[in-house]
């Protein structure tokens, strides 16, 4: 920032901030999975070749995700004493100021002058000289009022006084859902955990090819560190190193795959047994399919259904990398009418049917933080309708006396207790079973079970996403119209 009214030319804007700004301006207009920050045509070169490019993207990604996880706090500080009027400010300028405020409050290591100067130059890029002057003036008013660095922020009285929705950085309806699902205090603790840290990378050792210890050794040989989780020993946390896990030879050889700890826990809870006949009804990208295959010992039958052709191709490639092209897992196009209702070979013939349902994804708030801000709860009816249909259709495939496990990465009551309750009211004889039965005692302390038999992972107790599941047992005799 210059001392006078006219901002001075601060040199080039860093590639990471430029990439971050473009991504932030698209929040709410693209799907959460599009959060990955990629350079676009016309961007000036980053410098440093592929390594510089990768570093810039990683930094941009961290900025975007970090800011979106803390947006409530950042906005509350920016709006304090009406210093900044959101409604009167165009989007790119708003995001430039938010980004600078986020860096100021949460990134103690970024030099003070660079944050101000880069904000001004980013504003110039986004809106010309007028925008640069505006941002310069705003920064000069705002900066003295913002706590500098996480320690000062934690001690700031305003943080403690702000409404929970701002402190936890979620809209009111998301806070309500978490309180309903986990209980008031627990729901807030879960949301706080999902705002505090970046999501970790978890690896799952492929137990048909290797052991967790061998995977750790193989990775160490490639300059990559990983450590076993104490609750689930075949879950390995990536600790860093010379390469990303999926760039290693060990990954290419199928010694492990990438899967969140919460997803691994939910899959283990299905209790799939060696030699069982299993249907994975919503399979891609295949994290749970692979784990189910390992749980049944690579024997028995595993049918993996997926509706989306592109995702089905990813699923098939993942399974081939892990278990070999002819491993025996049947990857099949999901077609509700053909596969669930009409084709007799799927009717009542699986010991276990797993439905990892398309859902609102509220348990992924940390991994995909823009889910917080895209208003999905206001549009949830079509998701619930799809889930109802899938559950009823999948139930037809369970053999008499077999099991159906319903999994979501959205721990809301509507998608879990209410969904299973409605199903059971319409399907006589189905009972809910203990959802912890397949899990070792070492990881049960991280799960919360509701009065209606739905289990939920507790991201505040272990570093994982929020998953929920319920286990249903079919009656010994079933009648379907
Ligand atoms: N089980 C997967 C795993 O662990 O890697 C993740 C499954 S994801 C939560 C839900 C899947 O359901 C997606 O792959 C999606 O394509 C699929 N899906 C979406 N709409 C569907 C529909 N109408 N019918 C069936 N499957 C659908």
């Amino acid at each position: 920032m210059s001392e006078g009214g006219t901002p001075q030319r601060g040199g080039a804007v860093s590639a990471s901030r430029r990439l971050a700004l473009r991504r932030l301006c698209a929040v709410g207009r693209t799907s959460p999975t599009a959060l990955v920050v990629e350079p676009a045509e016309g961007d000036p070169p980053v410098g440093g070749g592929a390594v510089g490019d990768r570093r810039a993207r990683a930094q941009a990604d961290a900025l975007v995700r970090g800011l979106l996880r803390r947006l409530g706090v950042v906005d509350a500080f920016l709006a304090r004493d009406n210093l900044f009027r959101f409604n009167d400010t165009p989007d790119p300028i708003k995001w430039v100021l938010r980004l600078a405020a986020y860096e100021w409050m949460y990134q103690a290591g970024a030099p003070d002058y660079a944050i101000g100067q880069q904000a001004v130059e980013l504003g110039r890029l986004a809106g010309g000289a007028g925008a640069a002057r505006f941002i310069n003036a705003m920064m000069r008013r705002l900066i003295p009022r913002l706590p500098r660095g996480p320690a000062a922020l934690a001690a700031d009285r305003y943080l403690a006084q702000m409404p929970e929705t701002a402190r936890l950085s979620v809209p009111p309806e998301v806070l309500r859902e978490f309180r309903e699902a986990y209980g008031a205090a627990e729901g807030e603790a879960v949301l706080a955990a999902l705002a505090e840290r970046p999501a970790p990378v978890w690896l799952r050792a492929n137990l048909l090819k290797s052991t967790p210890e061998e995977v750790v050794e193989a990775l160490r040989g490639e300059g990559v560190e990983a450590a076993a989780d104490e609750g689930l020993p075949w879950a390995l946390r990536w600790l860093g190193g010379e390469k990303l896990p999926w760039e290693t030879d060990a990954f290419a050889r199928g010694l492990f795959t990438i899967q969140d700890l919460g997803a691994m826990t939910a899959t283990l809870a299905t209790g799939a047994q060696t030699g069982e006949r299993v249907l994975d009804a919503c399979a891609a990208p295949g994290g749970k399919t692979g784990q189910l295959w390992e749980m049944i010992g690579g024997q028995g039958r595993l049918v993996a259904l997926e509706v989306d052709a592109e995702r089905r191709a990813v699923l098939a490639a993942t399974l081939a990398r892990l278990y070999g092209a002819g491993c025996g897992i049947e990857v099949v196009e999901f077609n509700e009418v053909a596969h669930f209702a009409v084709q007799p070979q799927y009717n009542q013939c699986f010991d276990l049917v797993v439905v990892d349902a398309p859902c609102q994804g509220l348990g992924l708030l940390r991994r995909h933080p823009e889910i917080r801000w895209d208003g999905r709860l206001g549009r949830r009816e079509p998701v619930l309708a799809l889930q109802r249909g899938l559950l009823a259709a999948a139930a037809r495939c369970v053999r008499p006396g077999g099991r159906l496990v319903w999994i979501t990465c959205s721990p809301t009551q509507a998608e879990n207790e209410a969904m299973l309750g409605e199903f059971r009211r319409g399907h006589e004889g189905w009972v809910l079973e203990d959802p912890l039965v397949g899990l070792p005692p070492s990881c049960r302390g991280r799960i919360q079970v509701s009065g209606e038999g739905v289990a939920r992972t507790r991201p505040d107790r272990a570093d994982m996403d929020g998953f929920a599941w319920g286990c249903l047992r079919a009656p010994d005799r079933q009648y379907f119209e």
Side-chain angles (χ1 to χ4, degrees):
M1 252 179 321
S2 70
E3 283 302 308
T6 316
Q8 286 161 8
R9 275 225 161 265
V13 178
S14 73
S16 54
R17 291 185 179 89
R18 208 173 50 229
L19 292 173
L21 179 63
R22 194 177 41 243
R23 184 63 199 87
L24 287 166
C25 288
V27 165
R29 292 206 290 269
T30 53
S31 76
T33 45
L35 196 60
V36 178
V37 182
E38 296 290 350
E41 224 180 318
D43 276 346
V46 167
V51 174
D53 188 58
R54 201 172 79 180
R55 192 176 305 133
R57 270 186 289 155
Q59 285 169 352
D61 204 55
L63 281 175
V64 170
R65 289 173 197 274
L67 169 55
L68 292 178
R69 285 204 321 275
R70 322 293 195 144
L71 193 59
V73 174
V74 169
D75 279 1
F77 271 99
L78 287 179
R80 180 154 62 156
D81 303 332
N82 286 328
L83 275 178
F84 174 58
R85 288 207 294 277
F86 281 92
N87 291 344
D88 304 342
T89 312
D91 251 11
I93 307 306
K94 212 170 359 192
W95 284 116
V96 171
L97 284 167
R98 284 166 158 168
L99 194 57
Y102 166 73
E103 287 191 76
W104 188 265
M105 292 197 285
Y106 286 97
Q107 305 213 320
D112 293 8
Y113 72 91
I115 296 175
Q117 190 185 60
Q118 289 279 302
V120 170
E121 291 308 319
L122 204 50
R124 190 189 309 283
L125 266 184
R133 272 196 299 278
F134 175 72
I135 289 188
N136 188 47
M138 284 308 294
M139 290 298 286
R140 287 164 57 79
R141 283 164 66 191
L142 287 169
I143 286 299
R145 306 188 57 90
L146 300 179
R148 177 67 175 119
L153 174 62
D156 196 293
R157 290 219 329 261
Y158 187 60
L159 181 71
Q161 288 163 3
M162 65 180 60
E164 267 121 3
T165 47
R167 199 165 33 77
L168 298 167
S169 281
V170 283
E173 57 277 17
V174 172
L175 177 60
R176 197 179 55 241
E177 291 285 345
F178 274 73
R179 281 177 170 160
E180 257 176 41
Y182 285 96
E186 295 84 354
E188 285 180 29
V190 168
L191 280 174
L194 292 175
E196 264 159 25
R197 301 179 289 265
V201 177
W202 287 101
L203 321 176
R204 178 170 53 73
N206 174 358
L207 299 181
L208 296 183
K209 254 189 195 171
S210 190
T211 64
E213 295 77 19
E214 285 165 0
V215 174
V216 170
E217 273 313 301
L219 286 172
R220 187 163 296 143
E222 298 190 58
V224 174
E225 289 298 319
D229 173 59
E230 50 193 34
L232 280 187
W234 60 91
L236 306 172
R237 181 197 280 266
W238 175 61
L239 300 174
E242 291 165 21
K243 296 175 181 172
L244 294 168
W246 46 91
E247 294 168 346
T248 60
D249 196 41
F251 179 79
R253 288 191 289 132
L255 297 190
F256 68 88
T257 195
I258 315 291
Q259 192 182 13
D260 178 73
L261 179 63
M264 285 185 227
T265 307
T267 311
L268 192 62
T270 63
Q273 300 295 320
T274 310
E276 279 194 315
R277 294 162 301 168
V278 180
L279 177 70
D280 183 358
C282 299
K288 297 187 188 67
T289 316
Q291 192 179 345
L292 289 166
W293 185 238
E294 293 170 36
M295 288 170 75
I296 63 173
Q299 305 161 27
R301 183 177 188 202
L302 177 55
V303 177
L305 295 181
E306 173 53 47
V307 74
D308 182 302
E310 250 177 65
R311 290 170 68 87
R312 212 163 46 243
V314 172
L315 166 68
T318 298
L319 297 176
R321 177 179 62 78
L322 289 167
Y323 313 110
C327 69
I329 302 173
E330 299 163 49
V331 176
V332 180
E333 180 183 354
F334 179 104
N335 175 317
E336 232 171 287
V337 177
H339 290 303
F340 280 162
V342 178
Q343 290 206 1
Q345 71 265 36
Y346 286 157
N347 274 344
Q348 301 199 9
C349 78
F350 289 94
D351 302 303
L352 168 66
V353 172
V354 178
V355 190
D356 185 20
C359 64
Q360 296 184 101
L362 287 185
L364 308 180
L365 284 181
R366 180 167 57 158
R367 214 168 279 286
H368 300 295
E370 73 173 3
I371 285 176
R372 294 161 192 269
W373 311 113
D374 67 5
R376 58 186 52 207
L377 279 169
R379 310 184 297 268
R380 76 175 177 188
E381 205 33 63
V383 178
L384 296 177
L386 171 61
Q387 291 181 345
R388 262 176 227 121
L390 278 171
L391 177 53
R396 294 172 178 275
C397 304
V398 181
R399 70 160 167 81
R403 286 124 56 223
L404 185 150
V405 179
W406 174 256
I407 304 177
T408 68
C409 55
S410 200
T412 63
Q413 286 205 342
E415 291 167 277
N416 296 287
E417 279 90 347
M419 190 57 58
L420 296 176
E422 189 183 321
F423 171 81
R424 287 179 60 222
R425 282 192 293 281
H427 294 78
E428 210 179 309
W430 286 74
V431 292
L432 274 168
E433 297 208 320
D434 177 3
L436 299 184
V437 98
L439 296 178
S442 54
C443 69
R444 291 188 181 188
R446 315 154 157 192
I447 317 291
Q448 178 173 322
V449 181
S450 73
E452 289 115 308
V454 168
R456 290 182 169 82
T457 57
R458 287 285 301 262
D460 54 327
R461 294 189 188 157
D463 218 355
M464 56 185 166
D465 293 338
F467 273 83
W469 65 92
C471 303
L472 292 166
R473 172 79 62 183
D476 285 337
R477 297 171 66 120
Q478 290 188 61
Y479 301 98
F480 290 107
E481 284 151 25

